[in-house]
Amino acid sequence: MTSDDNALDGSPYQQYLYAYPHKTSYRALRPRPDLAGVWKDEPRDSLFLYLHIPYCEMRCGFCNLFTRTGAPADQVTAYLGQLRRQAEQVADSLGDATGWARVAFGGGTPTYLTADELTDLFDIATGTLGARLPGVPLSVETSPATATPDRLAVLAAHGVTRVSIGVQSFLDVEARAAGRPQRRTEVEAALTAIRAAGVPVLNIDLIYGIDGQTPATWAQSLRAALAWHPEELYLYPLYVRPLTGLGRRSHRRADWDAERLARYEQAVEILTAAGYRQESMRQFRRADVPAPDGPDYCCQDDGMVGLGCGARSYTTGLHYSFDYAVGITEVRAVLADYLARPATDFRYAEFGYRLDAVEQRRRWLLKSLLRVEGVDAAAYQARFGTPPAEDFPDLSHLVERGWATEGGLRLTPAGLARSDAVGPWLTSEAVRHAMRGYALR
């Protein structure tokens, strides 16, 4: 492994590696591999299922996800019809041995759909794909404007075990500064409805580093969230990314890194005192809430099948998806292409990245190292045949900085705070090269 140590001296906020390799490293797969062959030798009895809904009622200023606002109702109807056709083709390609251990609906905002449309979405998951709902853990993303009682009743009836709501800030002025024009009354009404629906796990997303946010206002948002006793909290540092609303009108402040780091440390102190245990730089779980059976939902794991225009799928050696875009015009073009495809197109992988044996080791190490528990050296060696320190000797550099212990296999609090620098530092040169060659659009 060769890594550029200078990268560790830069900003603590370089990139959020929620998946490895990053989607900007994907390229068109030619010839297109058929899914039956892609999945032929993969374990299929305990897969993750992800259904992607690419619609939102508004686009937040920080958002670079694949999503569209203001979609006409007939396009949403057409999308659900095409999603069902894709599900039929994928189910046939994977075969009868397919079993789903965990399910997630994301986006966009899945609850942008009406209650009846959500019922159709569940029918695709259960009737077409055979997911046991209720029966397996199921996470659904929502927003303050769309977490309405009628929609939540559909979620509850189908056994949703976790609802994640993007609040970002409980202060109206900060929400607007982040490009999310919402009111606290709307947020509180949504949280009331979620709790009334009886979903076992409520997750609240918050953002730090917003223009005008102070230690006092950040503490105010944290305590407002804690008043709901959420089972989980995810705290995200604000990023200003190209082609987003904030990216078009914001400039980076000289002291922004120090400010975000201070807000992060403040949050760790407040949440720890409130009885939350930290699982990663972003994730906090209430200490009396047991960890889920099996692994947490994580889009980096092997064995994920993603359906929908913006979804990714993961096998041991291939990560694949449809084309990726952020700009409004390009998102609409990719979505139109998805809607126009013949059903047989869904039997193939379109864009992706092939992971050789070295990249498979790197991905496994990365997704483990950026968690509080760190890398299980015995599990790594059992899977790959060599100890992680032998494959990644540069991890000792993290120990020298005081950012890791146990030979670099577990991040210290200081290292965890810099996860968004450690992840990019560990990214291979091949993936970096591919990412540099991607034209953002």
Side-chain angles (χ1 to χ4, degrees):
M1 169 184 126
T2 24
S3 301
D4 179 7
D5 269 1
N6 292 329
L8 296 177
D9 295 321
S11 170
Y13 303 102
Q14 296 178 31
Q15 186 182 41
Y16 174 27
L17 284 187
Y18 59 88
Y20 181 85
H22 193 273
K23 202 172 183 179
T24 54
S25 67
Y26 292 14
R27 295 295 184 270
L29 299 168
R30 296 293 181 265
R32 298 182 304 171
D34 68 278
L35 297 187
V38 166
W39 286 95
K40 179 176 178 291
D41 297 321
E42 295 287 318
R44 299 192 304 280
D45 58 342
S46 185
L47 298 175
F48 286 79
L49 173 63
Y50 179 82
L51 299 184
H52 180 255
I53 302 299
Y55 300 111
C56 287
E57 76 277 7
M58 63 180 177
R59 182 154 195 161
C60 303
F62 51 83
C63 178
N64 71 337
L65 299 178
F66 184 92
T67 185
R68 174 181 178 176
T69 61
D74 60 344
Q75 185 183 101
V76 177
T77 300
Y79 183 85
L80 288 172
Q82 191 73 319
L83 188 64
R84 186 180 294 275
R85 285 185 281 276
Q86 183 186 9
E88 291 167 350
Q89 297 296 320
V90 169
D92 187 59
S93 295
L94 268 62
D96 294 336
T98 304
W100 309 107
R102 199 170 295 272
V103 182
F105 297 166
T109 307
T111 50
Y112 178 88
L113 301 179
T114 65
D116 287 344
E117 289 167 343
L118 281 169
T119 299
D120 288 344
L121 184 65
F122 277 104
D123 186 63
I124 293 170
T126 58
T128 305
L129 292 162
R132 289 187 299 113
L133 301 175
V136 299
L138 168 59
S139 179
V140 178
E141 297 174 21
T142 191
S143 68
T146 63
T148 56
D150 60 332
R151 293 175 170 103
L152 291 165
V154 175
L155 303 191
H158 289 85
V160 169
T161 55
R162 179 180 182 270
V163 167
S164 178
I165 181 168
V167 172
Q168 320 314 352
S169 175
F170 279 84
L171 282 73
D172 294 354
V173 65
E174 287 185 2
R176 287 195 297 273
R180 188 183 182 93
Q182 67 189 22
R183 295 191 178 279
R184 170 104 178 239
T185 52
E186 182 180 59
V187 171
E188 301 282 355
L191 290 167
T192 299
I194 293 169
R195 281 309 197 196
V199 176
V201 174
L202 164 65
N203 172 70
I204 297 176
D205 288 348
L206 297 176
I207 286 179
Y208 54 94
I210 300 170
D211 277 347
Q213 191 178 63
T214 67
T217 63
W218 179 225
Q220 190 177 338
S221 258
L222 288 167
R223 298 200 187 284
L226 289 172
W228 290 95
H229 305 288
E231 284 71 24
E232 291 183 352
L233 283 156
Y234 270 74
L235 309 183
Y236 293 90
L238 181 65
Y239 275 87
V240 174
R241 299 179 175 98
L243 304 184
T244 63
L246 289 181
R248 289 190 292 270
R249 63 179 185 267
S250 294
H251 62 280
R252 180 172 170 172
R253 305 186 300 280
D255 61 346
W256 199 24
D257 283 347
E259 182 183 298
R260 285 180 289 180
L261 199 56
R263 297 294 79 75
Y264 165 82
E265 291 168 349
Q266 178 187 3
V268 171
E269 183 178 347
I270 289 174
L271 295 186
T272 301
Y276 284 75
R277 66 178 180 271
Q278 189 169 9
E279 305 288 353
S280 70
M281 174 184 162
R282 287 167 171 79
Q283 184 188 12
F284 297 78
R285 181 179 288 126
R286 214 174 65 207
D288 63 328
V289 176
D293 257 349
D296 275 347
Y297 168 71
C298 177
C299 64
Q300 293 154 293
D301 284 316
D302 293 341
M304 168 169 279
V305 177
L307 284 85
C309 194
R312 313 180 203 203
S313 298
Y314 303 96
T315 69
T316 304
L318 178 67
H319 291 187
Y320 63 92
S321 69
F322 289 97
D323 201 1
Y324 172 65
V326 176
I328 295 171
T329 301
E330 295 295 338
V331 165
R332 293 188 179 192
V334 173
L335 186 51
D337 173 69
Y338 173 84
L339 292 172
R341 286 178 178 270
T344 51
D345 262 17
F346 297 127
R347 303 182 74 88
Y348 301 90
E350 289 282 339
F351 290 79
Y353 192 97
R354 296 188 183 278
L355 286 77
D356 61 18
V358 175
E359 292 291 16
Q360 290 171 31
R361 293 168 187 245
R362 189 177 298 273
R363 182 175 65 90
W364 200 96
L365 178 110
L366 256 171
K367 78 180 188 69
S368 304
L369 182 63
L370 300 183
R371 304 284 297 174
V372 165
E373 64 269 22
V375 179
D376 183 332
Y380 180 97
Q381 184 156 354
R383 179 163 180 166
F384 299 112
T386 51
E390 181 178 315
D391 292 338
F392 298 93
D394 286 1
L395 290 172
S396 62
H397 296 196
L398 298 178
V399 179
E400 292 164 7
R401 289 171 176 264
W403 292 3
T405 61
E406 300 173 29
L409 301 183
R410 181 169 180 166
L411 295 180
T412 62
L416 201 66
R418 292 163 176 82
S419 294
D420 286 7
V422 173
W425 174 70
L426 281 168
T427 296
S428 74
E429 181 50 40
V431 170
R432 287 193 197 112
H433 178 76
M435 291 170 66
R436 287 193 296 267
Y438 180 83
L440 287 173
R441 55 194 185 86

